[in-house]
Amino acid sequence: MGHLNLSSSKRNPRQWRLLDLVSAAFFGAVLLFFLLVFTPLGDTLAASGRQALLRSSLDPRQRQRLVALVETGGHHQTIEPCPADTVDHMPCEDPRRNSQLSREMNYYRERHCPPPDETPLCLIPPPQGYRIPVRWPESLNKIWHSNMPHNKIADRKGHQGWMKEEDPYFIFPGGGTMFPDGAEQYIEKLKQYIPITGGVIRTALDMGCGVASFGGYLLADDILTLSFAPRDSHKAQIQFALERGIPAFVAMLDATYFIEVDRIIRPGGFIVISGPPVQWPKQDKEWADLQTVARALCYELIAVDGNTVIWKKPIGDSCLPNQNEFGLQLCDQSVDSSHAWYIKLKKCVSRTSSVIGENAVGIIPKWPERLTKAPLRAKIIKSGIDVFDADTRRWARRVEYYKTSLNLKLGTPAMRNVMDMNAFLGGFAAALLSDPVWVMNVVPDRKLSTLGIIYDRGLIGVYHDWCEPFSTYPRSYDLIHVSSIESLIKDPGSGKSRCNLVDLMVEIDRMLRPEGTVVIRDSSEVINKLGRIANAVRWTATIHEKEPESQGREKILVATKSFWKLP
């Protein structure tokens, strides 16, 4: 969740009953019944992708010395560019490395991060011909071809309306595998069965999203969709989604997806499955099994419309432990279903707490009222309601200061994709409501588990450990914001560093678009160190005083990533 990283058994940063609507539109054969194991079709293509397996030329001691030189600013040390064939490199989703792993349950398609000492200390270059991305909202319909010249999807899926090349652009007609005539028509069909308009539903998850046209067009109805898909034979589908300005990240669910979807969907929420096995030729058994599982979980069948099925989750606990042929049982009372980072999937059904029941679809306040009303889940924090209200006011002041005194381009077409690396309650994102942006709220896995509060507000986000690379392509974000960056690398118990700020800043650089902006708040000592590292990663940085109303010794670093190219 996690990040919502919805990888299977190894890394599962997932949200717990957070979403109002889960759509499995055009997921195709991937969404077969949970006992069906994925076919490895396209594995060879994915494994033989053009990305090289990066290996550092430095031994660990040399690497440590380089990190120390960068941190101290010694000899004006700069970090060198990575090779030209790394322009799309994702360290934890490297096809060459992962192709050597087990195919069972698609294990090889999960996150598999290299040890820090094997991660090269270099800056990912842009591809040849890269241009500053098309601005939102034009980017919903077209992007520069040269920014990701991957024609495979256009060649294979063009007839289904996914995308097509019209030099110098890729054009997105809005279609998908299950809605070749366009996402808008598909959404209109869903409106017959689901309260898509009126603020009842705010958050959605699109599994196996293709180029995310479904999520892109739901924005017109004020529904914020987090789209995800694995890095598979389609190679760049999530990269296209992000370039379009649609919330997305790289992840996958394994064949136990229905149980996991039940865990993350809000009581009273909806699950939509379009495509196999729903009334699909030669898949009668899989379709029957899927219905049997839904009945065992007490889901209400809303409609079967062609190859689309819609179920509604009950508000109370599942009717389990009724007998069922799959042996499904409620999870033990000791299982905390909100813990999802590095937690293996369990073959049990998550329980619904009284707090979650109060936040069910139709009971939780409608959007946008829910953005500023403290949810019951805030009670996980001492004096949680007061903390929530104070945090909301604090970030409203800070964002106003960012715009008026630091001259950030928030509210302009220059910023669309935004990340908050240490989101806490989502106050920073809430303060940006009036801006044409979406925010990926990241809750560090070793901090208080506040992701449920973020979703209750009608925002989206994921879990993550910032001592590992994030599951996104290079050049994904226009603005990356982080408060208390040093806390992201320290162990909460011992206070010792688990990794270093240099590697974290290099990862931020990988995620940031050329000419993108970084805003970091921390103590003056940390900010001064970051100023030296910023020079090493080729950023132009300035250090500012905090807003007058804030307490403490914070300073603010504002940096711009330079638009450099390989010679």
Side-chain angles (χ1 to χ4, degrees):
M1 303 218 130
H3 30 43
L4 187 58
N5 179 359
L6 290 177
S7 55
S8 73
S9 60
K10 183 183 177 192
R11 293 179 172 84
N12 304 301
R14 307 176 179 88
Q15 287 79 7
W16 173 38
R17 306 178 192 278
L18 310 177
L19 299 157
D20 302 322
L21 168 68
V22 175
S23 171
F26 49 87
F27 202 22
V30 177
L31 287 185
L32 296 183
F33 168 66
F34 71 89
L35 295 179
L36 187 63
V37 178
F38 293 158
T39 175
L41 181 62
D43 294 348
T44 303
L45 290 171
S48 61
R50 295 186 179 275
Q51 285 197 328
L53 177 61
L54 296 177
R55 297 189 183 277
S56 176
S57 60
L58 303 175
D59 67 33
R61 287 175 297 180
Q62 288 176 313
R63 195 181 194 282
Q64 290 170 7
R65 284 195 290 269
L66 178 56
V67 168
L69 282 173
V70 170
E71 287 181 333
T72 60
H75 306 291
H76 301 288
Q77 185 69 50
T78 59
I79 298 176
E80 295 299 316
C82 301
D85 60 358
T86 66
V87 293
D88 296 327
H89 183 60
M90 293 187 292
C92 299
E93 288 87 5
D94 188 310
R96 188 75 61 86
R97 176 187 295 273
N98 292 2
S99 67
Q100 304 170 30
L101 304 174
S102 170
R103 257 59 173 177
E104 184 179 0
M105 300 289 284
N106 274 314
Y107 175 75
Y108 76 112
R109 282 184 176 167
E110 299 174 19
R111 282 172 53 86
H112 298 286
C113 304
D117 287 346
E118 294 182 17
T119 303
L121 200 59
C122 60
L123 305 179
I124 300 293
Q128 185 177 4
Y130 182 85
R131 306 169 70 168
I132 298 302
V134 175
R135 302 305 191 190
W136 179 265
E138 289 79 14
S139 62
L140 179 64
N141 301 313
K142 65 180 182 181
I143 64 172
W144 298 117
H145 177 273
S146 58
N147 284 12
M148 44 197 67
H150 309 306
N151 289 12
K152 182 181 292 185
I153 297 180
D155 294 341
R156 290 185 174 182
K157 299 291 187 177
H159 67 288
Q160 295 175 344
W162 282 39
M163 56 188 290
K164 58 183 179 180
E165 182 183 355
E166 289 185 5
D167 192 56
Y169 300 107
F170 276 125
I171 304 297
F172 298 88
T177 300
M178 297 309 301
F179 44 88
D181 294 329
E184 291 174 301
Q185 292 185 27
Y186 178 72
I187 292 169
E188 287 301 313
K189 180 176 78 170
L190 297 183
K191 286 179 180 178
Q192 302 175 49
Y193 312 110
I194 300 172
I196 287 177
T197 59
V200 175
I201 291 175
R202 166 60 178 172
T203 55
L205 181 70
D206 187 8
M207 305 182 295
C209 62
V211 292
S213 290
F214 178 68
Y217 283 95
L218 276 176
L219 290 168
D221 292 302
D222 260 349
I223 292 180
L224 191 58
T225 304
L226 185 53
S227 302
F228 78 89
R231 180 171 186 163
D232 57 11
S233 59
H234 291 149
K235 187 175 181 179
Q237 51 191 328
I238 294 301
Q239 193 175 20
F240 285 120
L242 289 163
E243 187 77 2
R244 297 175 71 188
I246 301 172
F249 75 112
V250 177
M252 66 164 292
L253 270 177
D254 73 6
T256 59
Y257 76 90
F258 208 123
I259 294 177
E260 177 59 9
V261 166
D262 178 76
R263 184 180 73 85
I264 62 179
I265 192 173
R266 192 182 299 279
F270 299 85
I271 176 170
V272 180
I273 300 178
S274 290
V278 181
Q279 299 196 134
W280 206 262
K282 300 181 180 180
Q283 294 197 17
D284 293 343
K285 182 183 184 304
E286 290 81 8
W287 172 221
D289 286 344
L290 191 62
Q291 296 176 82
T292 300
V293 174
R295 287 194 296 269
L297 295 173
C298 305
Y299 277 52
E300 176 188 355
L301 178 62
I302 302 298
V304 179
D305 188 334
N307 299 120
T308 298
V309 61
I310 302 171
W311 280 294
K312 183 176 181 179
K313 180 176 178 174
I315 290 180
D317 258 334
S318 168
C319 54
L320 294 174
N322 291 352
Q323 294 296 318
N324 61 84
E325 61 189 274
F326 301 110
L328 298 178
Q329 298 179 353
L330 287 172
C331 295
D332 187 85
Q333 292 276 11
S334 62
V335 174
D336 186 347
S337 297
S338 64
H339 291 169
W341 183 254
Y342 280 83
I343 302 297
K344 291 185 177 181
L345 288 178
K346 298 177 176 64
K347 191 180 179 180
C348 63
V349 180
S350 301
R351 296 175 181 269
T352 301
S353 72
S354 59
V355 170
I356 300 303
E358 292 296 321
N359 287 333
V361 173
I363 297 177
I364 193 171
K366 293 182 179 180
W367 177 262
E369 289 80 12
R370 63 195 277 187
L371 179 69
T372 52
K373 183 176 181 179
L376 290 178
R377 235 186 299 223
K379 292 181 179 179
I380 64 173
I381 306 170
K382 184 179 180 180
S383 304
I385 305 300
D386 293 337
V387 171
F388 178 94
D389 292 338
D391 187 73
T392 299
R393 292 191 299 269
R394 180 184 304 114
W395 281 108
R397 292 195 306 269
R398 289 178 172 181
V399 168
E400 180 63 23
Y401 179 74
Y402 288 172
K403 293 179 178 180
T404 58
S405 297
L406 303 187
N407 298 318
L408 297 188
K409 296 178 181 178
L410 287 165
T412 74
M415 290 188 179
R416 170 62 184 171
N417 299 357
V418 178
M419 173 184 282
D420 188 357
M421 293 174 58
N422 192 10
F424 187 41
L425 302 177
F428 172 70
L432 298 176
L433 175 63
S434 62
D435 295 344
V437 302
W438 66 272
V439 181
M440 178 67 84
N441 293 283
V442 182
V443 175
D445 76 296
R446 294 176 181 248
K447 295 197 174 188
L448 190 63
S449 180
T450 55
L451 194 57
I453 298 172
I454 288 171
Y455 274 84
D456 288 345
R457 301 186 77 165
L459 305 172
I460 57 174
V462 296
Y463 294 118
H464 188 62
D465 179 355
W466 284 113
C467 283
E468 294 184 1
F470 194 75
S471 284
T472 195
Y473 284 86
R475 303 171 300 281
S476 292
Y477 290 93
D478 301 299
L479 170 65
I480 296 179
H481 177 272
V482 55
S483 180
S484 304
I485 189 171
E486 192 173 47
S487 69
L488 304 182
I489 67 170
K490 288 187 176 295
D491 182 87
S494 66
K496 295 181 178 179
S497 294
R498 302 179 295 117
C499 52
N500 65 75
L501 287 173
V502 174
D503 282 323
L504 183 52
M505 293 279 275
V506 169
E507 173 62 8
I508 294 174
D509 181 83
R510 187 186 71 86
M511 297 187 294
L512 192 65
R513 289 172 169 173
E515 298 187 3
T517 302
V518 180
V519 179
I520 304 175
R521 307 176 65 101
D522 215 310
S523 68
S524 58
E525 294 83 2
V526 171
I527 292 297
N528 289 335
K529 179 187 291 187
L530 294 177
R532 295 189 290 270
I533 301 174
N535 291 331
V537 295
R538 308 186 184 197
W539 297 352
T540 301
T542 55
I543 297 175
H544 303 266
E545 297 297 327
K546 66 182 185 306
E547 52 282 340
E549 302 89 349
S550 293
Q551 305 297 317
R553 301 171 50 249
E554 277 188 329
K555 288 195 174 183
I556 304 172
L557 181 139
V558 178
T560 301
K561 177 177 176 177
S562 61
F563 188 175
W564 56 270
K565 300 179 181 180
L566 289 174

